[in-house]
Amino acid sequence: MPGRTGVRGFIHWVVAGSGVVEALPAGLGGRGWEARMVSSADAIPGLLADGGSCSAGLLDLRGGAEPTAHALDRIREVLGRGGLGWVAGLAPGQVRLEQVRQLVRDHCHDYVVLPCDDGLLATVLGHAHGMARLEDRGVSAPRPLPSMDGMIGDSPVMQALYRQLQRAALTDAPVCIGGDTGTGKELAAAAIHRHSRRHGAPLVVINCGAIPDSLVQSELFGFERGAFTGANQRKRGRFEHADGGTLFLDEIGDLPLESQASLLRFLEQGTIQRLGGHEDVAVNARIICATHVDLATAVERGRFREDLYHRLRVIELHMPPLRERGGDIALLAAWALDRHAGEAGSRVRGFTRDALRALYDHGWPGNVRELVNRVRQAVVMAEGTRITARDLRLQEAGVALQTLGEARLEGERAAIERALLRNSGRLQAAARDLGISRVTLYRLMNRHGLRGGEDATGTG
């Protein structure tokens, strides 16, 4: 039946968790809602199995007495199955009950005090339906995920990185990949190798910081028989294993100076010498290196050779930190949840709204690795069917002392920055998220010295 809001054909479930069953307000029918009522949460799975189509649910928790813990646990279990946008219907004052508050916070998009105006109820149900669709699309592992060779993300900075990786794969020039810990530098190196003409030969990976200084030379360049006590036979090093392919030197900044000299010689002459040997061994390997430290600073402090520094950075790439990747945070959280959802018999199937806010508000010093580890732990430890901010251990521990004016300005700037980040700098969309006009947003951005990613004229 046509609805005045443009919504039609939706089935609206009314679940009476406390024995209260009432007819749905007649005004909702004219707004495109068709109702089916059940007397308990246990009846929902059967109705869904019958092939019913539904888009939102009203969970009626009225009844005077506080629902028992067993009843609420059963309701939580059932709510996690339907993939609906739920709204809680409460009696006056019932929101003050802690168990009810927790149920609403973890599983519902909103609540209303019943009875309420038909128009308000229709609006709230429509909003819950829309939010559920967004969550399914952005948090419940949409397929196919935008990715390249294991790197997940479709933010502008990642799209630019994909293009740079593809161009770098067309040449044999050395590549230096910079970026914070946990941003996926090894994945980027593997992508370059996989798309290069060397893809049929080995990609040899070595972490320079994980090998004791005394063993680096023999590990990288090999050794001859008798080179040291215990060297009973010749051993080929990582360079020779990478012949014809690619050698990825992770954490190149930790390479000892002696090994830096040998690496420089290889880059200049294409040959190595095994430890204890005098013969030049020709090796055809491409060098890709990565570091989370500033090599230029290491050069200034005498910890890294300047001539090697310039030879390694023929092509420079930078892995963007997660905090600069906007909506990729939700994509990566969805991927991590999908990957680990089966661990420890977990029934977790999504994230609560407070978890989504926490994911976007966190600074992610450990980047993608930290996010994946937090989600994995939350999957195992979560008690409900949706991961909360508490499960992710992302609740604020406290803030520094500041004046009320400073707190307001800081909060205003942070809210604007997050809105711009979520919407890739689109002012109109960011203003809509913040509940203000585009002109007001532009004025506030000027106040805080912020810039948007689109035409920021303040008009339109």
Side-chain angles (χ1 to χ4, degrees):
M1 110 183 18
R4 292 197 295 271
T5 62
V7 177
R8 57 186 302 173
F10 291 151
I11 304 300
H12 167 220
W13 301 100
V14 181
V15 180
S18 55
V20 178
V21 180
E22 295 182 356
L24 194 67
L28 286 186
R31 291 176 166 84
W33 293 94
E34 179 184 347
R36 290 190 182 180
M37 300 177 64
V38 293
S39 60
S40 71
D42 290 332
I44 294 179
L47 289 171
L48 291 175
D50 289 338
S53 172
C54 53
S55 58
L58 177 64
L59 178 67
D60 193 338
L61 291 173
R62 295 174 294 170
E66 181 174 2
T68 65
H70 175 74
L72 290 174
D73 286 343
R74 181 58 182 153
I75 291 172
R76 287 190 185 93
E77 179 181 347
V78 174
L79 296 192
R81 301 180 186 176
L84 307 183
W86 286 97
V87 174
L90 307 179
Q94 197 175 16
V95 73
R96 291 193 292 269
L97 301 176
E98 179 56 33
Q99 290 190 87
V100 173
R101 290 168 61 90
Q102 184 174 350
L103 178 69
V104 173
R105 181 176 63 245
D106 292 350
H107 296 283
C108 300
H109 288 279
D110 210 335
Y111 76 91
V112 293
V113 176
L114 296 175
C116 69
D117 177 75
D118 295 355
L120 171 63
L121 186 54
T123 299
V124 172
L125 287 170
H127 180 258
H129 166 58
M131 290 300 293
R133 289 187 63 189
L134 286 175
E135 287 185 6
D136 286 341
R137 188 172 300 172
V139 182
S140 298
R143 291 180 176 83
L145 284 172
S147 63
M148 174 184 175
D149 297 272
M151 293 174 288
I152 297 169
D154 63 354
S155 61
V157 290
M158 289 302 290
Q159 292 294 330
L161 176 65
Y162 298 157
R163 293 190 294 270
Q164 292 168 1
L165 293 174
Q166 290 169 340
R167 289 196 294 270
L170 299 177
T171 177
D172 275 346
V175 179
C176 186
I177 305 173
D180 296 346
T181 297
T183 50
K185 295 185 287 291
E186 185 172 341
L187 287 175
I192 294 173
H193 173 75
R194 193 173 294 114
H195 292 276
S196 74
R197 64 181 180 84
R198 296 174 176 266
H199 63 87
L203 168 66
V204 177
V205 178
I206 186 168
N207 188 320
C208 301
I211 306 173
D213 289 359
S214 59
L215 299 179
V216 172
Q217 282 287 105
S218 61
E219 188 68 28
L220 285 177
F221 305 104
F223 55 81
E224 297 287 354
R225 179 180 178 180
F228 50 84
T229 302
N232 298 322
Q233 60 183 4
R234 172 188 289 174
K235 178 186 175 182
R236 299 168 67 222
R238 299 295 184 94
F239 269 81
E240 290 183 78
H241 284 294
D243 190 28
T246 303
L247 179 65
F248 175 52
L249 300 171
D250 199 6
E251 300 304 345
I252 189 76
D254 294 329
L255 195 66
L257 287 172
E258 179 185 8
S259 299
Q260 290 179 30
S262 299
L263 175 57
L264 178 63
R265 180 184 179 186
F266 167 77
L267 291 171
E268 291 177 340
Q269 301 179 11
T271 61
I272 63 166
Q273 282 188 358
R274 301 187 189 101
L275 188 65
H278 303 286
E279 177 186 353
D280 287 340
V281 179
V283 175
N284 175 19
R286 182 186 192 176
I287 299 296
I288 300 177
C289 67
T291 179
H292 74 282
V293 301
D294 186 349
L295 290 182
T297 301
V299 169
E300 293 176 0
R301 295 176 178 175
R303 288 189 246 172
F304 203 84
R305 294 179 61 116
E306 183 174 8
D307 45 6
L308 177 59
Y309 170 65
H310 292 298
R311 289 302 301 263
L312 289 173
R313 55 194 287 265
V314 177
I315 299 176
E316 282 189 294
L317 300 176
H318 180 74
M319 300 297 295
L322 187 54
R323 61 183 176 274
E324 296 178 2
R325 293 176 53 182
D328 288 350
I329 293 173
L331 289 174
L332 286 160
W335 174 83
L337 174 58
D338 187 57
R339 180 180 182 184
H340 299 293
E343 293 190 1
S346 173
R347 293 175 297 172
V348 174
R349 58 175 304 278
F351 298 83
T352 62
R353 287 175 296 163
D354 71 310
L356 295 178
R357 287 192 294 268
L359 285 169
Y360 278 106
D361 291 346
H362 188 55
W364 298 113
N367 293 287
V368 177
R369 186 180 296 121
E370 179 191 355
L371 185 148
V372 172
N373 289 339
R374 282 186 182 271
V375 172
R376 184 178 187 181
Q377 181 187 50
V379 166
V380 175
M381 303 303 295
E383 296 180 356
T385 57
R386 290 187 180 271
I387 292 173
T388 67
R390 179 174 297 176
D391 295 328
L392 292 166
R393 297 191 300 174
L394 289 179
Q395 291 180 316
E396 293 293 336
V399 296
L401 293 176
Q402 58 184 176
T403 67
L404 182 58
E406 290 172 339
R408 285 172 176 164
L409 288 173
E410 180 178 303
E412 185 177 85
R413 178 187 175 94
I416 293 171
E417 287 178 331
R418 290 195 297 268
L420 291 170
L421 188 62
R422 285 193 302 270
N423 294 282
S424 301
R426 297 190 298 273
L427 301 189
Q428 191 67 41
R432 185 165 54 248
D433 276 5
L434 293 167
I436 59 178
S437 70
R438 182 177 176 182
V439 173
T440 300
L441 174 59
Y442 182 59
R443 176 173 54 80
L444 293 175
M445 289 171 61
N446 280 337
R447 175 193 297 176
H448 293 288
L450 300 174
R451 297 179 61 187
E454 63 170 24
D455 174 33
T457 61
T459 61

